């Protein structure tokens, strides 16, 4: 009997027989999934790097190495998805943001490093990277929660668990009996020690680090920036801000600010004597910070009210009001200067000086925006850039050394405060008053880095300067 040979496969079977090449359990043969892979192994490696570079040592160059490692991991998972120009710009932003951390790891340098890493991820993954920077932390948290609630991990079959129940369960019983019966084995078990076993707090920190790091490994799936927003229906309603309300507010605000401006011109600039029960230091301290809050509130109102500015009169009232606000900022700076002359310079008062200068520059930018008729977004971006430059500059400045030098040379001197300023004040103290903090609990000392992870450029500079001061005093 001759066997029958069927040539070819029916078209219907060719179209519908994809399941013949695919494993129903593993999915092999179904093609590549549209969703990005979940590199759990890379997350474990990054957590180990975080533990080695940051947790086990004092803050130093290890933080910089960690941020660079996280950036490299994000670049690895995004390979092939970004343009070369944007990748180069992303790495440039990240490197510039880490310069303050190379100098010294402190609060501002850590914030700048994380902002740089966020900008790095946004530049790699999204076209509108500015808006992505604001949304990325929240969208990343949502992605982390979703991945945790819907893990793609193959679970063992029930039959496999049942098959292992007998050998494992009874084997544990046998081991326990052997340990109880054999003193040598019991001694070996009791001698096992895990000196480097992580404690509960360390495991919690690992978990928090995983929550922060995981979105960097899932940038491909964070496609929220491509979604189009549906237009909302506009409903006409009565608003607190209108042309009439803004006009009346500008008139009232100018009158109120004029009263304060005249008083400051008289007492601070014109030499008018204060009441007998009030000193200039008290007058300065009472007004420095509230006036700054007033200036910020005035600037915010000036931005919000601009769409309702109609005509030259309202624009002139706005410019006069912003001008008076700038005078308030100048008065705040003078008040703070008088207060520092009376009670000395501190870290907070130095930061207040910088903040007042930043606000003054922001108000100048606001005036230019009104005169040049630029959009409000132009002013907001410029003010944000001025603030970022201020924070960046302060991160590269040894503020503790400046404060200590001012108190030791200009005064008045607060010995307890100077001795608590930390290692940034060591050179100033050694230069001016070497025995100032010798008998106190808080003695500013310079730390010696144990290895490269604890190294910092500012610490190296201070140690070099301190050696020169010590050698000069010995001679």
């Amino acid at each position: 009997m001759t066997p029958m040979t069927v040539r070819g496969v029916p078209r219907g079977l060719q179209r519908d027989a994809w399941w013949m090449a695919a494993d129903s359990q593993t999915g092999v043969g179904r093609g590549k999934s549209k969703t990005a892979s979940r590199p759990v192994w890379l997350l474990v490696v990054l957590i180990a790097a975080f533990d080695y570079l940051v947790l086990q040592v004092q803050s130093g160059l290890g933080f910089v190495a960690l941020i660079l490692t996280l950036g490299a991991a994000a670049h690895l998972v995004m390979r092939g998805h970004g343009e070369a120009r944007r990748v180069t710009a992303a790495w440039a932003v990240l490197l510039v943001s880490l310069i303050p951390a190379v100098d010294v790891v402190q609060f501002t340098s850590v914030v700048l490093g994380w902002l740089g890493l966020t900008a790095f991820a946004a530049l790699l993954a999204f076209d509108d990277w500015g808006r992505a920077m604001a949304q990325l932390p929240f969208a990343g948290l949502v992605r982390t929660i979703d991945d945790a609630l819907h893990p793609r991990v193959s679970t063992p079959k029930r039959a496999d668990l049942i098959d292992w129940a007998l050998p494992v369960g009874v084997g544990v019983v046998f081991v326990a009996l052997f340990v109880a019966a054999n003193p040598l084995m019991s001694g070996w078990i009791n001698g096992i020690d895990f000196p480097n076993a992580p404690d509960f707090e360390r495991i919690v920190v690992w978990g928090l680090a995983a929550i922060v790091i995981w979105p960097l490994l899932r940038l491909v799936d964070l496609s929220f920036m491509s979604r189009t927003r549906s237009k909302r229906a506009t409903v006409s309603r009565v608003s607190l801000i209108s042309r009439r309300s803004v006009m009346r507010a500008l008139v009232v605000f100018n009158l109120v600010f004029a009263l304060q401006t005249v008083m400051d011109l008289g007492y601070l600039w014109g030499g008018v004597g204060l009441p007998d029960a009030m000193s200039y230091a008290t007058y300065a301290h009472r007004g420095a910070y509230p006036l700054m809050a007033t200036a910020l509130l005035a600037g915010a109102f000036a931005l919000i009210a601009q769409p309702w500015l109609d005509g030259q009169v309202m624009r002139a009232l706005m410019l006069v009001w912003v001008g008076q606000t700038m005078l308030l900022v100048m008065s705040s700076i003078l008040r703070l200067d008088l207060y520092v002359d009376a009670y000395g310079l501190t870290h907070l008062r130095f930061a207040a000086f910088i903040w007042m200068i930043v606000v003054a520059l922001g108000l100048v930018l606001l005036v230019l925006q009104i005169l040049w008729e630029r959009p409000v977004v132009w002013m907001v971006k410029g003010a944000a850039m001025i603030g970022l430059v201020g924070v960046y500059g302060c991160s590269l400045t040894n503020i503790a050394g400046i404060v200590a030098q001012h108190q030791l040379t200009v005064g008045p001197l607060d010995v307890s405060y100077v001795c608590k300023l930390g290692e940034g004040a060591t050179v100033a103290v050694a230069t001016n008053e070497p025995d100032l903090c010798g008998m106190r609990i808080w003695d500013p000392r310079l730390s010696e880095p144990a290895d490269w992870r604890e190294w910092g450029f500012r610490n190296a500079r201070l140690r070099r300067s301190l050696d020169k001061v010590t050698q000069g005093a010995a001679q």
Side-chain angles (χ1 to χ4, degrees):
M1 181 177 179
T2 304
M4 182 181 64
T5 303
V6 179
R7 300 182 181 277
V9 180
R11 294 182 179 179
L13 186 59
Q14 289 180 357
R15 184 177 62 252
D16 300 331
W18 56 265
W19 49 269
M20 297 177 65
D23 191 304
S24 60
Q25 297 295 330
T26 62
V28 177
R30 296 183 183 179
K32 187 177 179 180
S33 175
K34 293 183 180 180
T35 59
S37 61
R38 301 183 181 183
V40 179
W41 63 271
L42 186 55
L43 176 65
V44 175
V45 172
L46 293 177
I47 293 177
F50 167 71
D51 184 84
Y52 173 74
L53 295 173
V54 175
L55 286 186
Q56 298 184 21
V57 293
Q58 295 182 358
S59 300
L61 203 59
F63 173 77
V64 179
L66 174 65
I67 298 298
L68 292 176
T69 303
L70 295 178
H75 189 184
L76 177 64
V77 298
M78 284 294 297
R79 63 188 185 280
H81 291 275
E83 302 175 359
R85 179 178 56 83
R86 292 176 57 186
V87 172
T88 303
W91 276 108
V93 170
L94 183 61
L95 292 176
V96 171
S97 69
L98 288 176
I99 292 177
V102 174
D103 186 35
V104 61
V105 177
Q106 55 186 356
F107 176 77
T108 52
S109 60
V110 170
V111 171
L112 288 173
W114 280 111
L115 285 177
L117 184 61
T118 304
F120 175 85
L123 282 168
L124 283 182
F126 309 108
D127 295 330
D128 191 356
W129 64 272
R131 185 159 62 93
M133 277 192 65
Q135 298 183 7
L136 188 57
F138 307 101
L141 180 61
V142 172
R143 168 57 61 187
T144 302
I145 295 175
D146 182 70
D147 288 345
L149 295 178
H150 304 89
R152 294 209 311 260
V153 180
S154 59
T155 58
K157 299 179 182 179
R158 182 180 180 185
D160 294 335
L161 294 177
I162 295 175
D163 291 340
W164 279 103
L166 179 63
V168 173
V170 179
V172 170
V173 174
F174 284 153
V175 171
L177 292 174
F178 287 150
V179 170
N182 192 333
L184 293 177
M185 190 177 294
S186 178
W188 294 340
I189 297 297
N190 294 331
I192 296 176
D193 186 19
F194 298 97
N196 295 324
D199 52 12
F200 177 74
E201 291 79 6
R202 192 172 174 187
I203 295 176
V204 171
V205 174
W206 287 351
L208 295 176
I211 294 174
V212 175
I213 294 173
W214 183 247
L216 294 174
L217 308 180
R218 300 282 283 155
L219 290 176
V220 178
D221 277 354
L222 290 176
S223 57
F224 61 93
M225 299 301 296
S226 61
R227 299 174 184 173
T228 57
R229 296 183 177 181
S230 58
K231 297 182 179 180
R232 298 180 180 179
T234 57
V235 179
S236 60
R237 57 187 179 87
V238 179
S239 176
L240 292 176
I241 303 179
S242 62
R243 182 187 179 281
R244 291 180 299 176
S245 63
V246 170
M247 181 67 178
R248 296 170 184 176
L250 288 175
V251 173
V252 173
F253 293 167
N254 271 295
L255 292 177
V256 174
F257 274 51
L259 177 62
Q260 179 64 43
T261 301
V262 170
M263 293 182 63
D264 282 344
L265 289 176
Y267 288 118
L268 295 177
W269 309 91
V272 178
L274 292 169
D276 296 335
M278 182 177 295
S279 64
Y280 277 100
T282 303
Y283 181 76
H285 181 251
R286 288 285 298 274
Y289 299 111
L291 287 182
M292 283 305 301
T294 304
L296 290 174
L297 183 61
F301 178 81
L303 288 176
I304 296 173
Q306 286 193 34
W308 287 269
L309 295 182
D310 185 14
Q312 296 297 325
V313 176
M314 294 187 69
R315 287 172 56 84
L317 287 174
M318 176 65 76
L319 289 173
V320 171
W321 186 47
V322 175
Q324 292 196 79
T325 306
M326 294 176 64
L327 286 177
L328 281 183
V329 176
M330 297 298 104
S331 298
S332 300
I333 295 176
L334 180 58
R335 287 168 184 263
L336 188 58
D337 184 62
L338 293 173
Y339 191 70
V340 168
D341 289 340
Y343 298 101
L345 183 64
T346 63
H347 203 288
L348 180 61
R349 292 163 195 164
F350 182 90
F353 271 122
I354 302 299
W355 176 242
M356 291 176 182
I357 294 174
V358 169
V359 173
L361 294 176
L363 291 174
V364 171
L365 201 63
L366 178 60
V367 172
L368 295 177
Q369 182 258 330
I370 296 175
L371 291 176
W372 294 347
E373 298 183 355
R374 296 292 181 88
V376 176
V377 177
W378 178 84
M379 187 271 164
V380 173
K381 290 182 178 180
M385 184 59 63
I386 292 174
L388 185 61
V389 171
V391 174
Y392 195 88
C394 289
S395 299
L396 296 173
T397 304
N398 182 14
I399 299 178
I402 296 175
V403 171
Q405 183 71 20
H406 186 277
Q407 289 217 8
L408 290 167
T409 56
V410 179
L413 175 61
D414 186 348
V415 179
S416 298
Y417 183 80
V418 171
C419 293
K420 293 179 181 178
L421 285 174
E423 66 176 21
T426 51
V427 176
V429 172
T431 303
N432 297 280
E433 295 287 343
D435 301 327
L436 183 68
C437 307
M439 302 301 293
R440 293 179 177 270
I441 299 176
W442 301 100
D443 186 6
R445 298 178 182 273
L446 279 176
S447 59
E448 292 284 342
D451 55 28
W452 67 271
R453 293 173 294 175
E454 299 183 355
W455 186 88
F457 184 55
R458 183 177 301 180
N459 178 268
R461 296 200 319 270
L462 291 174
R463 285 189 284 112
R464 190 181 303 111
S465 300
L466 187 62
D467 290 340
K468 292 181 180 178
V469 173
T470 304
Q471 292 174 3
Q475 295 176 357

